[in-house]
C-alpha cells in the first residue's frame, strides 16, 4: 500500500507541475443545450485559425458557471456556456474568487417545441392554457378553482383528441424546465384566470406566482432528467404522450416526430426570431476578461462565435437550429470593445 | 427393524416386476431425467438465441458506420478567390476562411450536374450545399495551404457527402420522410440517384471512422472513434503499469509470506468484497481523491487509469492468488530442500509456473476496465468532445480525452440519427477489442498452463 501511495503522490506532483505550465487552448464548459453550437464553432475555429481547437465540455449551465467562477488562472476554464442568464448569486460567487470582469455574450435563441409520435393522436395545436389545464394541480372549472379533474385532453378542449394526458417534460435540473414553467404553465395560469382566483382566495401575489409554476406529479407529467434522446424513446413507447424538445432536436428527427403549434404559431427559426412563437429562450456564453491576452485565441474564438458567417441567419448555427439574434452587430461590437457586464448596460 | 419389515412388504410386489418392462417408478425417474435435460437444453438455446439476436442487431445497426458516402469531383481552385495577390504566400492564403471555399466546391458539384446532363429543378449552385458535408471546405483548404501551387489548377477531391445523403444510400433517410426535413428535399434525392448511376457518388470503406476524431453535431459523417481509442489506450497503460506490479506483489505476500491471523483474514475478506463493489463507487472515490484533493487534471486519461486501477486490483489479486495456490507445494518444498531461500523459491519456481494464470487474470481485468463507463462519468471523461489528437506521450496522459465506451454513450445521445449508427459501429469496435483480449488470454492459458 505504501508503494501505491507513493506512486499516486509522485504522479500527482508531476502532473500538477505540468498543468501549471501555460495552456495554449481555450477551455469551455457548461450547458448541454449550448454544447452542439459551441462544438460546431470550435471545430470551424480550429480549421480556420492557427490556434488549437478549443476544448468544449458539457455538464449543465450551473456546473459550467461554477467551474468558471472558481478563479482566475490557466487551470480554470475561460468560457462558461449557459442556457440562461447568469444569476446574481453566481456573480457574487465569482467576485469572491476574484473573477470580476465577465463579458456576457448572447449568441441567439433556442426554441422549445411540443412534439408527439408521427402517427400518434392528432396533437397538432396547443395553447398555454391547454397545457396548464392538463398538468397543473389546481385549475379553473366553471369559474371555480378546483383540484385538477381532467384525465383526457378532450375534457377541457373539445378540439384535442380524447386521449389520456401524458407529458414528458424536462427534469428540474434542466434549464429548459424553467422556460417551460415560466413561458407555458405560468402563462396558462394567467390566461385561464387561475392566478386571479388564487389571489382572490387570499394568496399573496408572489405566492400565487409560485403556485402557478407547479406541475402535477401523479404520473401524467413525467420528468426526464436525461437528454432529448430519452424523451424521444419515451414518446416512441407511448403513442398518447407529448414531449418537450429543443427545436434543433426536432428538426433532426422529423421522421419520427410531429410538432404542435403553440397558440396557433408553428415553431420555426423565423417565427421564433420575430417573437411570434412564444416559447423560446436566449442562449449565452460568458468570457473571463482576465484571460484575454493570456490564453491565445480566446478573444478570436469569442469574435468568431458571433461573426455573421457563423451565428448569422445563413451560418452553420442557424442551419443546426439556433435562432440568430437580430442584435448580433451590437454583440460583435461589445466583444471587440471587451465590454464587461455592468458597463453601459 | 423398519428396514426388515419394509423389505418383507416390498418383496411381494417386486417379484412380479419384469426386467424388460419399466415399472411406474422407473418411468417416472427416467422422465424426470429427460425433463431436466430438456430444461438444460432450453436454457442453453435461450442463451444462444439472445446472443444471436444481440450480435445480429449490433452488426446490423452498426456495420453501416464502416461505410461512408463520398463525392468525387474535380474542384477548380480559383486564383481570384483564394490568392488575390497571386504571390502564393501561405499567410495570405490562410486569410481565406473555409466559407470562401464553399462556393468553389458547390460550383464543382454543380458542374457535374451539367456535365452529366442530369435534368433537375435545382438550378442554383447554392442548392448543392445540402449534398455536401461541412467538412469538405476544410479538407480543400488544408490541401491548398499545404500545397499552395495547386491554386489555379483543377484538382480532383474525394469529399464527404452530407449525413442525409449518406443516410439515403444506407436506407436510413426515406423519401416519405424528407418532406418535413428542412435539410434536404426530394429533388436532392433524385439528384443523388442520378449521381450514383454516373459514379460521382459512391459508398466506400471509411478508415476515418476507426482512426478519426470526433466531430460536432452538425457533421456526423466526419466523426470517428480514433481519439477516444487513444484515450482508452493511455488509460489501459496506466492500469497495466500500476495494477500488475501492485496486485502481484500483494498476492505473493498474502499467499506465501503473510502469517495466518485475524488481520490477514480480514484483508482477504475485504479484497473479495472490493471485487464486488459497484464501479461507480470507485468513480466517486477518484473524484474526491485524485481531482478534488490531489488536483489532477479533470478528464485526463491518467485519472481514468488510476480509478480503473482501483477497480481492477481486486480482480488481479484474486486470480493471482488462485494461480499461486495451484502450484503444488512439492515444488516449494523441493526448492527449499536444496537450500533456496523462501524468496528464491517464490521468484525462481513458483511465480514462473503461476505466470500464465496471472496474465490471464490481468488481461481479463483489463478487458473489464476497457468497457467500463460508470466511473468515467464522474471524472469528466464522458461529455467531453474528443476532437484533438494528443500532442505527445505526456499529453496523452494529461490532456483531456474521452474513452471508447464514453464516446459511444456520447454519440448515442446526440440529436442526428446518423450518430446512432455510429454508436453501434463504436460498439462493434469495442467488442472486437474485448474479443481479441479474451482470445489472447485463452491462448496464453492453453500454451503455457501446466497441469500436475
Amino acid at each position: 500500500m505504501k508503494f501505491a501511495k507513493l506512486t499516486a503522490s509522485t504522479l500527482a506532483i508531476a502532473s500538477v507541475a505540468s498543468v501549471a505550465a501555460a495552456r495554449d487552448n481555450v477551455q469551455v464548459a457548461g450547458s448541454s443545450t449550448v454544447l452542439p453550437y459551441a462544438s460546431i464553432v470550435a471545430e470551424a475555429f480550429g480549421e480556420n485559425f492557427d490556434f488549437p481547437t478549443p476544448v468544449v465540455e458539457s455538464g449543465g449551465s450551473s456546473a459550467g458557471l461554477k467551474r468558471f467562477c472558481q478563479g482566475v488562472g490557466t487551470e480554470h476554464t475561460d468560457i462558461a456556456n449557459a442556457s440562461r442568464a447568469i444569476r446574481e448569486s453566481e456573480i457574487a460567487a465569482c467576485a469572491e474568487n476574484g473573477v470580476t470582469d465577465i463579458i456576457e455574450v448572447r449568441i441567439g435563441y433556442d426554441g422549445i417545441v411540443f412534439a408527439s409520435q408521427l402517427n400518434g393522436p392528432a396533437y397538432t395545436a396547443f395553447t398555454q392554457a391547454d397545457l396548464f389545464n392538463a398538468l397543473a394541480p389546481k385549475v379553473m372549472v366553471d369559474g371555480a378553482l378546483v383540484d385538477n379533474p381532467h384525465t383526457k385532453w378532450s375534457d377541457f378542449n373539445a378540439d384535442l383528441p380524447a386521449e389520456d394526458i401524458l407529458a414528458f417534460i424536462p427534469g428540474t435540473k434542466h434549464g429548459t424546465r424553467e422556460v417551460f414553467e415560466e413561458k407555458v404553465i405560468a402563462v396558462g395560469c394567467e390566461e385561464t384566470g387561475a392566478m386571479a382566483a388564487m389571489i382572490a382566495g387570499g394568496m399573496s401575489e408572489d405566492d400565487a406566482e409560485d403556485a402557478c409554476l407547479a406541475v402535477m406529479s401523479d404520473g401524467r407529467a413525467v420528468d426526464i432528467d436525461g437528454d432529448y434522446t430519452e424523451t424521444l424513446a419515451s414518446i416512441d413507447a407511448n403513442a398518447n404522450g407529448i414531449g418537450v424538445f429543443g427545436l434543433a432536436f426536432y428538426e433532426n428527427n422529423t421522421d419520427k416526430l410531429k410538432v404542435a403549434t403553440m397558440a396557433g404559431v408553428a415553431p420555426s427559426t423565423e417565427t421564433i426570431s420575430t417573437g411570434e412563437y412564444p416559447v423560446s429562450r436566449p442562449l449565452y456564453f460568458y468570457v473571463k476578461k482576465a484571460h484575454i491576452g493570456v490564453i491565445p485565441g480566446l478573444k478570436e474564438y469569442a469574435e468568431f462565435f458571433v461573426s455573421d458567417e457563423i451565428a448569422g441567419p445563413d451560418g452553420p448555427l442557424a442551419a443546426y437550429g439556433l435562432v440568430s439574434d437580430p442584435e448580433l452587430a451590437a454583440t460583435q461590437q461589445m466583444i471587440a470593445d471587451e465590454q464587461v457586464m455592468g458597463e453601459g448596460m | 427393524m423398519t428396514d426388515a419389515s419394509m423389505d418383507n412388504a416390498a418383496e411381494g410386489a417386486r417379484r412380479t416386476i419384469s426386467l424388460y418392462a419399466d415399472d411406474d417408478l422407473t418411468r417416472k425417474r427416467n422422465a424426470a431425467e429427460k425433463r431436466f435435460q430438456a430444461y438444460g437444453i432450453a436454457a442453453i438455446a435461450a442463451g444462444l438465441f439472445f446472443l444471436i439476436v444481440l450480435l445480429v442487431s449490433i452488426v446490423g445497426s452498426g456495420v453501416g458506420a464502416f461505410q461512408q458516402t463520398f463525392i468525387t469531383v474535380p474542384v477548380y481552385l480559383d486564383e481570384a478567390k483564394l490568392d488575390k495577390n497571386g504571390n502564393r504566400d501561405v499567410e495570405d492564403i490562410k486569410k481565406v476562411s473555409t466559407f470562401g471555399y464553399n462556393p468553389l466546391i458547390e460550383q464543382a458539384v454543380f458542374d457535374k450536374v451539367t456535365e452529366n446532363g442530369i435534368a433537375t429543378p435545382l438550378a442554383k449552385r447554392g442548392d448543392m450545399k445540402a449534398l455536401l458535408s461541412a467538412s469538405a471546405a476544410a479538407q480543400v483548404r488544408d490541401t491548398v495551404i499545404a500545397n499552395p501551387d495547386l491554386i489555379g489548377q483543377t484538382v480532383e477531391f474525394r469529399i464527404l457527402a452530407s449525413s442525409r445523403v449518406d443516410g439515403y444510400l444506407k436506407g436510413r433517410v426515406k423519401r416519405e420522410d424528407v418532406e418535413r426535413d428542412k435539410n434536404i428535399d426530394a429533388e436532392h434525392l433524385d439528384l443523388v440517384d442520378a449521381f450514383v448511376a454516373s459514379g460521382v457518388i459512391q459508398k466506400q470503406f471509411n478508415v476515418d471512422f476507426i482512426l478519426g476524431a470526433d466531430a460536432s453535431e452538425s457533421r456526423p459523417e466526419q466523426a470517428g472513434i480514433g481519439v477516444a481509442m487513444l484515450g482508452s489506450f493511455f488509460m489501459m497503460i496506466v492500469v497495466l503499469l500500476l495494477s500488475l506490479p501492485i496486485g502481484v506483489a500483494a498476492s505473493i505476500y498474502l499467499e506465501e509470506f503473510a502469517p495466518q491471523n485475524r488481520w490477514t483474514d480480514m484483508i482477504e475478506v475485504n479484497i473479495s468484497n472490493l471485487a464486488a463493489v459497484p464501479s461507480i463507487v470507485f468513480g466517486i472515490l477518484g473524484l474526491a481523491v485524485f481531482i478534488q484533493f490531489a488536483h489532477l487534471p479533470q478528464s485526463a486519461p491518467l485519472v481514468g487509469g488510476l480509478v480503473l486501477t482501483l477497480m481492477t486490483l481486486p480482480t488481479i489479486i484474486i486470480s493471482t492468488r488462485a494461480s499461486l495456490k495451484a502450484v503444488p507445494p512439492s515444488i516449494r518444498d523441493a526448492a527449499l530442500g536444496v537450500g533456496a531461500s523462501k524468496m528464491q523459491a517464490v521468484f525462481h519456481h513458483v511465480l514462473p509456473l503461476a505466470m500464465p494464470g496471472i496474465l490471464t487474470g490481468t488481461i481479463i481485468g483489463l478487458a473489464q476496465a476497457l468497457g467500463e463507463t460508470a466511473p468515467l462519468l464522474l471524472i469528466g471523461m464522458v461529455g467531453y468532445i474528443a476532437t484533438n489528437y494528443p500532442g505527445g506521450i505526456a499529453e496523452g496522459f494529461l490532456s483531456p480525452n474521452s474513452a471508447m465506451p464514453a464516446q459511444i454513450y456520447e454519440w448515442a445521445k446526440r440529436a442526428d440519427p446518423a450518430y446512432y449508427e455510429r454508436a453501434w459501429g463504436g460498439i462493434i469496435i469495442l467488442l472486437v477489442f474485448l474479443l481479441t483480449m479474451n482470445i489472447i488470454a485463452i491462448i496464453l492459458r492453453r500454451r503455457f498452463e501446466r497441469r500436475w
Side-chain angles (χ1 to χ4, degrees):
Chain A
M1 270 343 262
K2 226 176 198 171
F3 179 56
K5 257 189 194 162
L6 200 68
T7 328
S9 46
T10 346
L11 284 170
I13 292 162
S15 52
V16 167
S18 63
V19 166
R23 170 156 66 79
D24 61 354
N25 56 5
V26 177
Q27 283 192 351
V28 186
S31 166
S32 48
T33 311
V34 185
L35 177 79
Y37 304 115
S39 61
I40 289 170
V41 177
E43 191 169 64
F45 183 74
E47 283 167 3
N48 281 310
F49 289 83
D50 280 339
F51 303 110
T53 308
V55 171
V56 188
E57 289 172 67
S58 66
S61 304
S62 304
L65 282 165
K66 197 173 161 207
R67 273 178 74 185
F68 179 79
C69 286
Q70 265 164 1
V72 174
T74 48
E75 70 270 31
H76 300 292
T77 51
D78 311 310
I79 291 181
N81 292 330
S83 56
R84 57 171 173 78
I86 191 169
R87 294 188 181 121
E88 281 302 320
S89 60
E90 285 162 340
I91 295 177
C94 262
E96 227 167 78
N97 292 323
V99 185
T100 45
D101 289 347
I102 304 168
I103 306 177
E104 181 179 64
V105 184
R106 190 174 62 208
I107 58 170
Y109 294 87
D110 175 37
I112 290 166
V113 306
F114 295 82
S116 58
Q117 242 184 50
L118 186 56
N119 304 315
Y123 299 125
T124 49
F126 285 117
T127 62
Q128 285 99 328
D130 289 336
L131 287 158
F132 175 78
N133 277 328
L135 301 173
K138 280 189 181 295
V139 294
M140 299 294 286
V141 176
D142 301 330
L145 194 63
V146 294
D147 285 342
N148 194 335
H150 309 306
T151 55
K152 292 184 186 307
W153 293 99
S154 53
D155 287 354
F156 49 84
N157 184 345
D159 294 339
L160 289 171
E163 294 280 346
D164 287 340
I165 296 168
L166 180 63
F168 298 95
I169 60 175
T172 43
K173 74 165 194 180
H174 283 280
T176 318
R177 172 64 170 260
E178 223 169 278
V179 186
F180 171 74
E181 286 174 354
E182 281 169 10
K183 302 247 165 126
V184 180
I185 299 296
V187 173
C189 184
E190 263 178 75
E191 276 180 8
T192 54
M195 187 167 163
M198 281 179 202
I199 296 172
M203 257 193 211
S204 78
E205 205 161 311
D206 282 352
D207 286 347
E209 268 173 27
D210 285 347
C212 265
L213 298 177
V215 173
M216 292 267 270
S217 50
D218 66 345
R220 66 175 71 180
V222 182
D223 279 16
I224 303 282
D225 265 337
D227 297 273
Y228 291 137
T229 35
E230 204 183 318
T231 316
L232 178 64
S234 308
I235 294 286
D236 262 346
N238 294 285
N240 64 328
I242 63 160
V244 177
F245 296 95
L247 178 67
F249 189 91
Y250 161 71
E251 288 187 338
N252 270 302
N253 289 282
T254 48
D255 56 334
K256 297 191 198 78
L257 294 171
K258 70 169 182 294
V259 76
T261 59
M262 177 56 63
V265 185
S268 71
T269 46
E270 293 80 33
T271 53
I272 292 166
S273 68
T274 57
E276 281 173 74
Y277 185 79
V279 198
S280 68
R281 60 167 162 188
L283 300 178
Y284 297 93
F285 68 86
Y286 292 89
V287 187
K288 216 175 270 180
K289 192 180 174 184
H291 284 193
I292 292 180
V294 179
I295 306 292
L298 178 55
K299 188 175 178 185
E300 287 82 353
Y301 170 77
E303 283 180 326
F304 186 64
F305 205 130
V306 292
S307 64
D308 287 332
E309 47 197 9
I310 290 284
D314 301 318
L317 298 189
Y320 189 74
L322 182 77
V323 179
S324 63
D325 189 344
E327 293 163 23
L328 204 56
T331 313
Q332 289 162 358
Q333 190 56 44
M334 201 185 76
I335 296 178
D337 299 344
E338 299 179 16
Q339 188 185 40
V340 300
M341 287 179 78
E343 267 178 32
M345 286 173 82
Chain B
M1 282 297 131
T2 44
D3 280 359
S5 60
M6 265 174 72
D7 276 352
N8 289 338
E11 237 169 79
R14 231 176 240 164
R15 283 211 182 108
T16 63
I17 291 171
S18 152
L19 277 176
Y20 298 103
D22 291 342
D23 68 348
D24 277 352
L25 192 62
T26 318
R27 265 204 301 277
K28 239 179 168 172
R29 287 190 310 176
N30 287 350
E33 189 178 321
K34 282 259 164 56
R35 269 204 308 278
F36 180 73
Q37 285 189 6
Y39 293 151
I41 291 172
I44 290 172
L48 276 180
F49 172 74
F50 285 119
L51 181 68
I52 289 168
V53 168
L54 188 72
L55 283 180
V56 166
S57 69
I58 289 177
V59 173
S61 315
V63 85
F66 293 90
Q67 290 227 316
Q68 202 62 44
T69 309
F70 291 95
I71 305 178
T72 316
V73 283
V75 180
Y76 173 57
L77 302 171
D78 192 352
E79 186 172 1
K81 295 249 173 61
L82 304 182
D83 189 15
K84 287 189 184 104
N85 302 334
N87 54 11
R88 302 286 184 272
D89 183 357
V90 176
E91 287 309 311
D92 278 352
I93 296 169
K94 274 187 183 166
K95 285 197 185 118
V96 182
S97 72
T98 47
F99 302 99
Y101 283 79
N102 276 326
L104 299 182
I105 302 167
E106 286 160 17
Q107 186 63 46
V109 178
F110 192 59
D111 288 346
K112 272 280 173 193
V113 177
T114 340
E115 186 191 315
N116 287 315
I118 299 165
T120 168
L122 304 166
K124 287 202 310 289
R125 185 196 74 204
D127 290 333
M128 300 298 127
K129 198 178 169 191
L131 302 182
L132 294 163
S133 162
S135 70
Q139 187 194 340
V140 176
R141 183 172 181 267
D142 287 347
T143 314
V144 170
I145 287 172
N147 216 339
D149 293 332
L150 290 176
I151 293 180
Q153 299 176 25
T154 302
V155 184
E156 186 148 287
F157 283 95
R158 191 186 78 149
I159 52 189
L160 283 165
S162 72
S163 71
R164 293 295 198 282
V165 172
D166 185 52
Y168 176 59
L169 291 191
K170 286 174 184 167
R172 190 179 62 235
V173 175
K174 301 208 175 52
R175 267 172 189 279
E176 57 267 30
D177 296 332
V178 298
E179 279 168 37
R180 276 166 297 110
D181 192 333
K182 65 165 190 149
N183 290 306
I184 200 160
D185 301 325
E187 289 89 39
H188 285 118
L189 299 184
D190 294 336
L191 184 58
V192 170
D193 283 339
F195 270 151
V196 170
S198 56
V200 176
I201 291 184
Q202 273 173 329
K203 248 188 346 183
Q204 284 166 343
F205 182 70
N206 184 18
V207 185
D208 284 338
F209 174 63
I210 302 168
L211 301 177
D214 193 10
S216 73
E217 303 212 17
S218 66
R219 39 174 104 160
E221 62 277 358
Q222 195 196 353
I225 203 170
V227 174
M229 212 186 271
L230 279 178
S232 279
F233 171 74
F234 281 111
M235 278 202 312
M236 288 307 115
I237 288 188
V238 174
V239 174
L240 187 66
L241 289 185
L242 288 179
S243 66
L244 187 61
I246 297 176
V248 171
S251 0
I252 289 179
Y253 178 76
L254 282 175
E255 196 59 41
E256 304 286 340
F257 295 97
Q260 276 288 322
N261 58 25
R262 263 196 319 169
W263 282 111
T264 47
D265 281 351
M266 216 169 81
I267 291 175
E268 271 173 41
V269 169
N270 274 315
I271 289 175
S272 313
N273 281 341
L274 269 184
V277 166
S279 54
I280 191 94
V281 176
F282 293 108
I284 294 232
L285 186 74
L287 176 71
V289 174
F290 299 125
I291 292 180
Q292 287 167 353
F293 176 70
H295 292 293
L296 291 178
Q298 195 152 15
S299 318
L302 173 71
V303 181
L306 288 172
V307 169
L308 293 178
T309 300
L310 297 178
M311 207 194 82
T312 320
L313 263 178
T315 320
I316 292 187
I317 293 179
I318 289 171
S319 69
T320 305
R321 293 192 61 187
S323 46
L324 286 174
K325 243 184 222 144
V327 177
S330 57
I331 293 195
R332 288 183 192 86
D333 295 343
L336 295 176
V338 295
S341 73
K342 190 136 192 209
M343 197 171 142
Q344 283 174 323
V346 170
F347 281 91
H348 294 179
H349 302 283
V350 179
L351 196 58
L353 289 170
M355 219 48 186
I358 296 175
L359 288 181
T360 312
T362 309
I363 291 172
I364 294 197
L366 278 184
Q368 212 177 31
L370 183 67
E372 196 59 66
T373 331
L376 304 183
L377 277 171
L378 291 162
I379 55 166
M381 292 187 79
V382 179
Y384 172 75
I385 311 293
T387 40
N388 294 335
Y389 287 99
I393 306 256
E395 241 183 75
F397 286 114
L398 292 171
S399 64
N401 205 331
S402 190
M404 279 199 282
Q407 181 73 71
I408 292 168
Y409 172 68
E410 180 64 33
W411 281 342
K413 64 181 191 180
R414 286 192 188 165
D416 194 320
Y419 269 117
Y420 196 64
E421 174 191 274
R422 286 188 130 59
W424 287 98
I427 290 173
I428 295 182
I429 294 182
L430 189 61
L431 280 182
V432 167
F433 269 90
L434 296 181
L435 212 63
T436 318
M437 289 171 86
N438 284 336
I439 288 173
I440 291 174
I442 291 172
I443 290 175
L444 279 177
R445 202 163 52 210
R446 280 277 167 82
R447 284 201 78 164
F448 298 108
E449 193 178 47
R450 287 179 71 168
R451 292 181 183 280
W452 286 280

